[in-house]
Coordinates of all heavy atoms in Angstrom, one line a residue:
M1 N -9.8 -65.2 39.9 CA -8.5 -65.0 40.5 C -8.5 -64.9 42.0 O -9.4 -64.2 42.6 CB -8.0 -63.7 39.8 CG -6.7 -63.2 40.5 SD -5.3 -63.3 39.4 CE -3.9 -62.8 40.4
Q2 N -7.7 -65.8 42.6 CA -7.7 -65.7 44.1 C -7.1 -64.4 44.6 O -6.3 -63.8 43.9 CB -6.7 -66.8 44.5 CG -7.4 -68.1 44.9 CD -6.3 -69.1 45.3 OE1 -5.5 -69.6 44.5 NE2 -6.2 -69.4 46.6
K3 N -7.5 -64.0 45.7 CA -7.0 -62.8 46.3 C -5.9 -63.2 47.3 O -6.0 -64.1 48.1 CB -8.1 -62.0 47.1 CG -7.8 -60.5 47.3 CD -9.0 -59.8 47.7 CE -8.7 -58.3 47.9 NZ -8.4 -57.7 49.1
A4 N -4.8 -62.5 47.2 CA -3.7 -62.8 48.2 C -4.0 -62.4 49.6 O -4.7 -61.5 49.8 CB -2.4 -62.1 47.7
K5 N -3.5 -63.2 50.5 CA -3.8 -62.9 51.9 C -2.9 -61.7 52.3 O -1.8 -61.6 51.9 CB -3.3 -64.1 52.8 CG -3.4 -63.9 54.2 CD -2.9 -65.2 55.0 CE -2.6 -64.9 56.4 NZ -2.0 -66.0 57.1
V6 N -3.5 -60.8 53.1 CA -2.7 -59.6 53.6 C -1.8 -60.1 54.7 O -2.3 -60.4 55.8 CB -3.8 -58.5 54.1 CG1 -3.0 -57.3 54.7 CG2 -4.6 -58.1 53.0
A7 N -0.6 -60.2 54.5 CA 0.4 -60.7 55.4 C 0.7 -59.6 56.5 O 0.8 -59.8 57.7 CB 1.7 -61.1 54.8
S8 N 0.7 -58.3 56.0 CA 1.0 -57.2 56.9 C 0.4 -55.9 56.3 O 0.4 -55.8 55.0 CB 2.5 -57.0 57.0 OG 2.8 -55.7 57.6
K9 N -0.1 -55.0 57.1 CA -0.7 -53.8 56.4 C 0.3 -52.7 56.3 O 0.0 -51.6 55.9 CB -1.9 -53.3 57.3 CG -3.1 -54.2 57.1 CD -4.4 -53.5 57.6 CE -5.6 -54.4 57.2 NZ -6.8 -53.8 57.8
T10 N 1.5 -53.1 56.5 CA 2.7 -52.1 56.3 C 3.8 -52.8 55.5 O 3.9 -54.1 55.6 CB 3.2 -51.6 57.6 OG1 3.6 -52.6 58.4 CG2 2.2 -50.6 58.2
P11 N 4.6 -52.1 54.8 CA 5.6 -52.7 54.0 C 6.8 -53.2 54.9 O 6.9 -52.8 56.1 CB 6.1 -51.6 53.1 CG 5.7 -50.4 53.6 CD 4.5 -50.6 54.5
F12 N 7.7 -54.0 54.3 CA 8.8 -54.5 55.0 C 10.0 -53.8 54.5 O 10.3 -53.9 53.3 CB 9.0 -56.0 54.8 CG 7.9 -56.9 55.4 CD1 6.8 -57.2 54.7 CD2 8.1 -57.3 56.7 CE1 5.8 -58.0 55.2 CE2 7.1 -58.2 57.3 CZ 6.0 -58.5 56.6
A13 N 10.7 -53.1 55.3 CA 12.0 -52.4 54.9 C 13.1 -53.4 54.9 O 13.3 -54.1 56.0 CB 12.3 -51.2 55.8
V14 N 13.8 -53.7 53.9 CA 14.8 -54.7 53.8 C 16.1 -54.0 53.2 O 16.0 -53.4 52.2 CB 14.5 -55.8 52.9 CG1 15.6 -56.9 52.8 CG2 13.2 -56.5 53.5
E15 N 17.3 -54.2 53.9 CA 18.5 -53.8 53.3 C 19.0 -54.9 52.3 O 19.5 -55.9 52.7 CB 19.6 -53.7 54.4 CG 19.2 -52.9 55.6 CD 19.4 -51.4 55.4 OE1 20.3 -51.1 54.6 OE2 18.7 -50.6 55.9
V16 N 18.8 -54.7 51.0 CA 19.1 -55.7 50.0 C 20.6 -55.6 49.6 O 21.2 -54.5 49.7 CB 18.3 -55.6 48.8 CG1 16.8 -55.9 49.1 CG2 18.4 -54.2 48.1
E17 N 21.1 -56.7 49.3 CA 22.5 -56.7 48.8 C 22.5 -56.6 47.2 O 21.5 -57.0 46.6 CB 23.2 -58.1 49.1 CG 23.4 -58.2 50.7 CD 23.8 -59.6 51.0 OE1 24.5 -60.2 50.2 OE2 23.4 -60.1 52.0
A18 N 23.6 -56.1 46.7 CA 23.7 -56.0 45.2 C 23.8 -57.4 44.6 O 24.5 -58.3 45.1 CB 24.9 -55.2 44.8
N19 N 23.0 -57.5 43.4 CA 23.1 -58.7 42.6 C 22.7 -60.0 43.3 O 23.2 -61.1 43.0 CB 24.4 -58.9 42.0 CG 24.7 -57.7 41.0 OD1 23.8 -57.3 40.3 ND2 25.9 -57.1 41.1
K20 N 21.9 -60.0 44.4 CA 21.4 -61.1 45.1 C 20.0 -61.4 44.6 O 19.2 -60.4 44.4 CB 21.6 -60.9 46.6 CG 21.1 -62.2 47.4 CD 21.3 -61.8 48.9 CE 20.6 -63.0 49.7 NZ 20.7 -62.8 51.1
N21 N 19.6 -62.6 44.5 CA 18.2 -63.0 44.1 C 17.3 -63.0 45.3 O 17.7 -63.6 46.3 CB 18.2 -64.3 43.4 CG 18.9 -64.2 42.0 OD1 18.5 -63.4 41.3 ND2 19.8 -65.2 41.8
Y22 N 16.2 -62.3 45.2 CA 15.2 -62.3 46.3 C 13.9 -62.9 45.6 O 13.6 -62.6 44.5 CB 14.9 -60.9 46.7 CG 16.2 -60.3 47.5 CD1 17.1 -59.6 46.8 CD2 16.2 -60.6 48.8 CE1 18.2 -59.2 47.5 CE2 17.4 -60.1 49.5 CZ 18.3 -59.4 48.9 OH 19.4 -58.9 49.5
A23 N 13.2 -63.7 46.4 CA 11.9 -64.2 46.0 C 10.8 -63.7 46.9 O 10.7 -64.2 48.1 CB 12.0 -65.8 46.0
W24 N 10.0 -62.8 46.4 CA 9.0 -62.1 47.2 C 7.8 -63.0 47.3 O 7.2 -63.4 46.2 CB 8.6 -60.8 46.6 CG 7.5 -60.0 47.2 CD1 7.6 -59.3 48.4 CD2 6.2 -59.8 46.7 NE1 6.4 -58.7 48.7 CE2 5.5 -59.0 47.7 CE3 5.6 -60.2 45.6 CZ2 4.2 -58.6 47.4 CZ3 4.3 -59.8 45.4 CH2 3.6 -59.0 46.3
C25 N 7.2 -63.2 48.4 CA 6.0 -64.0 48.6 C 4.8 -63.2 48.1 O 4.5 -62.0 48.5 CB 5.7 -64.3 50.1 SG 4.0 -64.7 50.5
S26 N 4.1 -63.7 47.1 CA 2.9 -63.0 46.5 C 1.6 -63.5 47.1 O 0.6 -62.9 47.0 CB 2.9 -63.2 45.0 OG 2.6 -64.4 44.6
C27 N 1.6 -64.7 47.7 CA 0.4 -65.3 48.2 C 0.0 -64.8 49.6 O -1.1 -64.9 50.0 CB 0.4 -66.9 48.2 SG 1.5 -67.6 49.4
G28 N 1.0 -64.4 50.4 CA 0.7 -63.9 51.7 C 0.8 -64.9 52.7 O 0.5 -64.6 54.0
E29 N 1.0 -66.2 52.4 CA 1.0 -67.3 53.4 C 2.3 -67.6 54.0 O 2.4 -68.3 55.0 CB 0.4 -68.6 52.7 CG -0.9 -68.4 52.1 CD -2.1 -68.4 53.1 OE1 -1.8 -68.6 54.3 OE2 -3.2 -68.0 52.7
S30 N 3.4 -67.1 53.4 CA 4.8 -67.4 53.9 C 4.9 -67.0 55.4 O 4.4 -65.9 55.8 CB 5.8 -66.7 53.0 OG 7.1 -66.9 53.6
E31 N 5.7 -67.8 56.1 CA 6.0 -67.4 57.5 C 7.4 -66.7 57.5 O 7.9 -66.5 58.6 CB 6.0 -68.7 58.4 CG 4.5 -69.1 58.7 CD 4.4 -70.5 59.2 OE1 5.4 -70.9 59.9 OE2 3.3 -71.1 59.1
N32 N 7.9 -66.5 56.4 CA 9.2 -65.8 56.3 C 9.1 -64.5 55.5 O 9.8 -64.3 54.6 CB 10.2 -66.8 55.5 CG 11.6 -66.2 55.5 OD1 12.0 -65.5 56.4 ND2 12.3 -66.5 54.4
Q33 N 8.0 -63.7 55.9 CA 7.7 -62.4 55.1 C 8.9 -61.5 55.2 O 9.6 -61.4 56.2 CB 6.5 -61.8 55.8 CG 5.3 -62.6 55.6 CD 4.9 -62.7 54.1 OE1 5.2 -61.8 53.3 NE2 4.1 -63.8 53.8
P34 N 9.1 -60.8 54.1 CA 8.3 -60.7 52.9 C 8.6 -61.8 51.8 O 8.2 -61.6 50.7 CB 8.5 -59.3 52.4 CG 10.0 -59.1 52.7 CD 10.2 -59.8 54.0
F35 N 9.4 -62.8 52.2 CA 10.0 -63.7 51.2 C 9.2 -65.0 51.2 O 8.6 -65.4 52.1 CB 11.5 -63.9 51.4 CG 12.3 -62.6 51.4 CD1 12.9 -62.2 52.5 CD2 12.2 -61.8 50.3 CE1 13.6 -61.0 52.5 CE2 12.9 -60.6 50.3 CZ 13.6 -60.2 51.4
C36 N 9.4 -65.7 50.0 CA 8.7 -67.0 49.8 C 9.3 -68.1 50.7 O 10.5 -68.2 50.9 CB 8.9 -67.3 48.3 SG 8.3 -69.0 47.9
D37 N 8.4 -68.9 51.2 CA 8.9 -70.1 51.9 C 8.2 -71.4 51.3 O 8.3 -72.5 52.0 CB 8.6 -70.0 53.4 CG 7.2 -70.2 53.8 OD1 6.3 -70.2 52.9 OD2 6.9 -70.3 55.0
G38 N 7.6 -71.2 50.2 CA 7.1 -72.4 49.5 C 5.6 -72.7 49.7 O 5.0 -73.6 49.2
K39 N 4.9 -71.9 50.6 CA 3.5 -72.2 51.0 C 2.6 -71.9 49.8 O 1.4 -72.3 49.9 CB 3.2 -71.4 52.2 CG 3.8 -71.8 53.4 CD 2.9 -71.9 54.6 CE 3.6 -72.6 55.8 NZ 4.9 -72.2 56.1
H40 N 3.0 -71.3 48.7 CA 2.1 -71.0 47.7 C 1.8 -72.3 46.8 O 0.8 -72.3 46.1 CB 2.8 -70.0 46.7 CG 4.0 -70.5 46.1 ND1 5.3 -70.4 46.7 CD2 4.3 -71.2 44.9 CE1 6.2 -71.0 46.0 NE2 5.6 -71.5 44.9
K41 N 2.6 -73.3 47.2 CA 2.4 -74.5 46.3 C 1.0 -75.0 46.4 O 0.4 -75.1 47.4 CB 3.4 -75.7 46.8 CG 4.8 -75.3 46.4 CD 5.7 -76.5 46.4 CE 7.1 -76.1 46.1 NZ 7.9 -75.7 47.2
G42 N 0.4 -75.4 45.2 CA -1.0 -75.8 45.1 C -1.9 -74.7 44.9 O -3.1 -74.9 44.7
S43 N -1.5 -73.4 45.0 CA -2.3 -72.2 44.7 C -2.0 -71.7 43.3 O -1.1 -72.2 42.7 CB -2.1 -71.2 45.7 OG -0.9 -70.5 45.5
E44 N -2.6 -70.6 42.9 CA -2.3 -70.0 41.6 C -1.2 -69.0 41.8 O -0.9 -68.4 40.7 CB -3.6 -69.4 40.9 CG -4.1 -68.3 41.7 CD -5.5 -67.8 41.1 OE1 -6.4 -68.7 41.0 OE2 -5.6 -66.6 40.9
F45 N -0.7 -68.8 42.9 CA 0.4 -67.8 43.1 C 1.8 -68.4 42.9 O 2.0 -69.6 43.1 CB 0.3 -67.3 44.6 CG -0.9 -66.5 44.8 CD1 -2.0 -67.0 45.4 CD2 -1.1 -65.1 44.4 CE1 -3.2 -66.3 45.7 CE2 -2.3 -64.4 44.6 CZ -3.3 -65.0 45.2
S46 N 2.7 -67.5 42.5 CA 4.1 -67.9 42.5 C 4.9 -66.7 42.9 O 4.4 -65.6 42.7 CB 4.5 -68.4 41.1 OG 4.1 -67.6 40.1
P47 N 6.1 -66.9 43.5 CA 6.8 -65.8 44.0 C 7.3 -64.9 42.9 O 7.4 -65.3 41.7 CB 8.0 -66.4 44.7 CG 8.1 -67.8 44.2 CD 6.7 -68.2 43.8
V48 N 7.6 -63.6 43.2 CA 8.2 -62.7 42.3 C 9.7 -62.6 42.5 O 10.1 -62.3 43.6 CB 7.6 -61.3 42.5 CG1 8.3 -60.2 41.6 CG2 6.1 -61.3 42.1
L49 N 10.4 -63.0 41.5 CA 11.9 -63.0 41.7 C 12.5 -61.7 41.3 O 12.1 -61.1 40.2 CB 12.5 -64.1 40.8 CG 11.9 -65.5 41.0 CD1 12.5 -66.5 40.0 CD2 12.2 -65.9 42.4
I50 N 13.4 -61.1 42.0 CA 13.9 -59.8 41.8 C 15.3 -59.7 42.3 O 15.7 -60.4 43.2 CB 13.0 -58.7 42.4 CG1 13.4 -57.3 41.9 CG2 13.0 -58.7 43.9 CD1 12.4 -56.2 42.2
K51 N 16.1 -58.8 41.6 CA 17.5 -58.6 41.9 C 17.8 -57.2 41.8 O 17.2 -56.5 40.9 CB 18.3 -59.4 40.9 CG 19.8 -59.6 41.2 CD 20.3 -60.8 40.5 CE 20.9 -60.6 39.2 NZ 21.7 -61.8 38.7
F52 N 18.6 -56.6 42.7 CA 18.9 -55.2 42.6 C 20.3 -55.0 42.2 O 21.2 -55.7 42.6 CB 18.6 -54.5 44.0 CG 17.1 -54.7 44.4 CD1 16.7 -55.9 45.1 CD2 16.1 -53.9 44.0 CE1 15.5 -56.1 45.5 CE2 14.8 -54.1 44.3 CZ 14.5 -55.2 45.1
E53 N 20.6 -53.9 41.5 CA 22.0 -53.6 41.0 C 22.9 -53.1 42.1 O 24.1 -53.2 42.0 CB 22.0 -52.6 39.9 CG 21.5 -53.4 38.5 CD 21.4 -52.4 37.4 OE1 21.8 -51.2 37.5 OE2 20.8 -52.9 36.4
E54 N 22.3 -52.5 43.1 CA 23.1 -51.9 44.1 C 22.4 -52.2 45.5 O 21.2 -52.4 45.6 CB 23.2 -50.4 44.0 CG 21.8 -49.8 43.8 CD 21.9 -48.2 43.5 OE1 22.9 -47.9 42.8 OE2 21.1 -47.5 44.0
A55 N 23.3 -52.2 46.6 CA 22.8 -52.4 47.9 C 22.0 -51.1 48.3 O 22.4 -50.0 48.0 CB 24.0 -52.6 48.9
K56 N 20.8 -51.3 48.9 CA 20.0 -50.2 49.3 C 18.9 -50.7 50.1 O 18.7 -51.9 50.4 CB 19.4 -49.5 48.1 CG 18.6 -50.3 47.2 CD 18.1 -49.5 46.0 CE 17.4 -50.4 45.0 NZ 16.8 -49.7 43.8
T57 N 18.0 -49.7 50.7 CA 16.9 -50.1 51.4 C 15.7 -50.2 50.5 O 15.5 -49.2 49.7 CB 16.6 -49.1 52.6 OG1 17.8 -49.1 53.4 CG2 15.4 -49.5 53.4
V58 N 15.0 -51.3 50.5 CA 13.9 -51.5 49.6 C 12.6 -51.8 50.5 O 12.7 -52.4 51.6 CB 14.1 -52.7 48.7 CG1 12.9 -53.2 48.0 CG2 15.3 -52.4 47.8
Y59 N 11.5 -51.2 50.1 CA 10.3 -51.5 50.8 C 9.4 -52.5 50.1 O 8.7 -52.2 49.1 CB 9.5 -50.2 51.0 CG 10.3 -49.2 51.9 CD1 11.3 -48.4 51.4 CD2 10.1 -49.3 53.3 CE1 12.0 -47.6 52.3 CE2 10.8 -48.5 54.2 CZ 11.8 -47.7 53.7 OH 12.5 -46.9 54.5
F60 N 9.5 -53.7 50.5 CA 8.7 -54.8 49.9 C 7.2 -54.7 50.4 O 7.0 -54.5 51.6 CB 9.3 -56.2 50.3 CG 10.5 -56.6 49.5 CD1 11.7 -56.5 50.2 CD2 10.4 -57.0 48.2 CE1 12.9 -56.9 49.4 CE2 11.6 -57.4 47.6 CZ 12.9 -57.3 48.1
C61 N 6.3 -54.9 49.5 CA 4.9 -54.9 49.9 C 4.6 -56.0 50.8 O 4.9 -57.2 50.6 CB 4.1 -55.0 48.6 SG 2.3 -55.3 48.9
G62 N 3.9 -55.7 51.9 CA 3.5 -56.7 52.9 C 2.0 -57.1 52.7 O 1.6 -58.1 53.2
C63 N 1.2 -56.1 52.1 CA -0.2 -56.4 52.0 C -0.5 -57.3 50.8 O -1.6 -57.8 50.7 CB -1.0 -55.1 52.0 SG -0.8 -54.2 50.4
K64 N 0.4 -57.4 49.9 CA 0.3 -58.3 48.7 C -0.7 -57.8 47.7 O -1.1 -58.5 46.8 CB -0.1 -59.8 49.1 CG 0.8 -60.3 50.2 CD 2.3 -60.3 49.9 CE 3.1 -60.8 51.1 NZ 4.6 -60.7 50.8
Q65 N -1.2 -56.5 47.9 CA -2.1 -56.0 46.9 C -1.5 -54.9 46.0 O -2.1 -54.3 45.2 CB -3.3 -55.3 47.7 CG -3.8 -56.2 48.8 CD -4.4 -57.5 48.4 OE1 -5.1 -57.7 47.4 NE2 -4.1 -58.5 49.2
T66 N -0.2 -54.7 46.1 CA 0.5 -53.7 45.3 C 0.4 -54.0 43.8 O 0.3 -55.1 43.4 CB 2.0 -53.6 45.7 OG1 2.6 -52.6 44.9 CG2 2.7 -55.0 45.5
K67 N 0.4 -52.9 43.0 CA 0.4 -53.1 41.6 C 1.8 -52.8 41.0 O 2.0 -52.9 39.8 CB -0.6 -52.1 40.9 CG -2.0 -52.1 41.4 CD -2.8 -53.3 40.8 CE -4.2 -53.3 41.2 NZ -4.5 -53.6 42.6
N68 N 2.7 -52.7 41.9 CA 4.1 -52.3 41.5 C 5.0 -53.5 41.7 O 5.9 -53.4 42.6 CB 4.6 -51.1 42.3 CG 6.0 -50.6 41.9 OD1 6.4 -50.9 40.7 ND2 6.7 -50.0 42.8
S69 N 4.8 -54.6 41.0 CA 5.6 -55.8 41.1 C 5.6 -56.3 42.6 O 4.5 -56.7 43.0 CB 7.0 -55.6 40.6 OG 7.8 -56.7 40.8
C70 N 6.6 -56.1 43.3 CA 6.7 -56.6 44.7 C 7.0 -55.5 45.7 O 7.1 -55.7 46.8 CB 7.7 -57.7 44.8 SG 9.4 -57.2 44.3
L71 N 7.0 -54.3 45.1 CA 7.4 -53.1 46.0 C 6.2 -52.4 46.4 O 5.2 -52.3 45.7 CB 8.3 -52.2 45.2 CG 9.6 -52.9 44.8 CD1 10.5 -51.9 44.0 CD2 10.4 -53.5 45.9
C72 N 6.2 -51.8 47.6 CA 5.1 -51.1 48.1 C 4.7 -49.9 47.2 O 5.6 -49.1 46.8 CB 5.4 -50.5 49.5 SG 4.2 -49.5 50.2
D73 N 3.4 -49.7 46.8 CA 3.0 -48.6 46.1 C 2.0 -47.7 46.9 O 1.3 -46.9 46.2 CB 2.5 -49.0 44.7 CG 1.2 -49.8 44.8 OD1 0.7 -50.1 46.0 OD2 0.6 -50.1 43.8
G74 N 1.8 -48.0 48.1 CA 0.9 -47.3 49.0 C -0.5 -47.8 49.0 O -1.4 -47.3 49.7
T75 N -0.8 -48.9 48.3 CA -2.1 -49.5 48.2 C -2.5 -49.9 49.7 O -3.7 -49.9 50.0 CB -2.1 -50.7 47.3 OG1 -1.8 -50.4 46.0 CG2 -3.5 -51.4 47.4
H76 N -1.6 -50.3 50.5 CA -1.9 -50.8 51.9 C -2.7 -49.7 52.7 O -3.5 -50.0 53.6 CB -0.7 -51.2 52.6 CG 0.2 -50.1 52.9 ND1 1.3 -49.7 52.1 CD2 0.3 -49.2 54.0 CE1 1.9 -48.7 52.6 NE2 1.3 -48.3 53.7
K77 N -2.5 -48.5 52.3 CA -3.2 -47.4 53.1 C -4.7 -47.4 52.9 O -5.4 -46.9 53.8 CB -2.7 -46.0 52.6 CG -1.2 -45.8 52.9 CD -0.8 -44.3 52.8 CE 0.7 -44.1 52.9 NZ 1.3 -43.8 51.6
A78 N -5.2 -48.1 51.8 CA -6.6 -48.1 51.6 C -7.3 -49.4 52.1 O -8.5 -49.5 51.9 CB -6.8 -48.0 50.0
L79 N -6.5 -50.2 52.7 CA -7.1 -51.5 53.2 C -7.8 -51.3 54.6 O -7.4 -50.5 55.4 CB -6.0 -52.6 53.4 CG -5.2 -52.9 52.0 CD1 -4.1 -53.9 52.3 CD2 -6.2 -53.5 51.1
Ligands
FES101 S1 2.4 -52.8 51.9 FE1 1.3 -53.4 50.1 S2 1.2 -51.5 49.0 FE2 2.2 -51.0 50.8

C-alpha cells in the first residue's frame, strides 16, 4: 500500500455548506488542498466524498494519515 504524501502537518479548517458535496484529497498531491484536483490519477488513491447535513466548521485532515475518514483525528501530532 502506498503511503499518502503529507500535504500539511496541520488540518484545514473549512466552513462547509449544508448538503454540498466535497471531495477530500487522500493522496496528498493536490494543489487545491484539502480537496481533490485529480492528481491521484494513476495511483491507488481516490478522493473521499463527503457531504454534511448542516453548515459548520470542519477540520479536514491535511497530513493524509488520519484514520477518521477525511477528518483530522490528531494523528498529525505524531508526525
Ligand atoms: S491533519 Fe491529519 S490527523 Fe490531523
Side-chain angles (χ1 to χ4, degrees):
M1 171 110 181
Q2 265 178 288
K3 199 167 180 265
K5 177 179 163 190
V6 176
S8 165
K9 283 195 174 173
T10 51
F12 293 90
V14 177
E15 309 278 330
V16 296
E17 295 171 32
N19 296 316
K20 183 177 167 183
N21 289 311
Y22 293 91
W24 176 76
C25 162
S26 68
C27 71
E29 302 288 350
S30 172
E31 284 166 25
N32 183 34
Q33 292 297 333
F35 303 117
C36 175
D37 73 353
K39 291 227 169 44
H40 63 277
K41 289 200 181 86
S43 76
E44 64 188 53
F45 294 99
S46 47
V48 173
L49 305 176
I50 192 164
K51 190 153 95 172
F52 301 91
E53 285 177 6
E54 53 186 32
K56 59 182 173 179
T57 303
V58 168
Y59 293 87
F60 284 102
C61 169
C63 74
K64 314 301 177 182
Q65 316 300 316
T66 178
K67 303 280 186 293
N68 181 26
S69 177
C70 58
L71 304 178
C72 175
D73 69 354
T75 300
H76 66 270
K77 295 194 188 109
L79 297 177

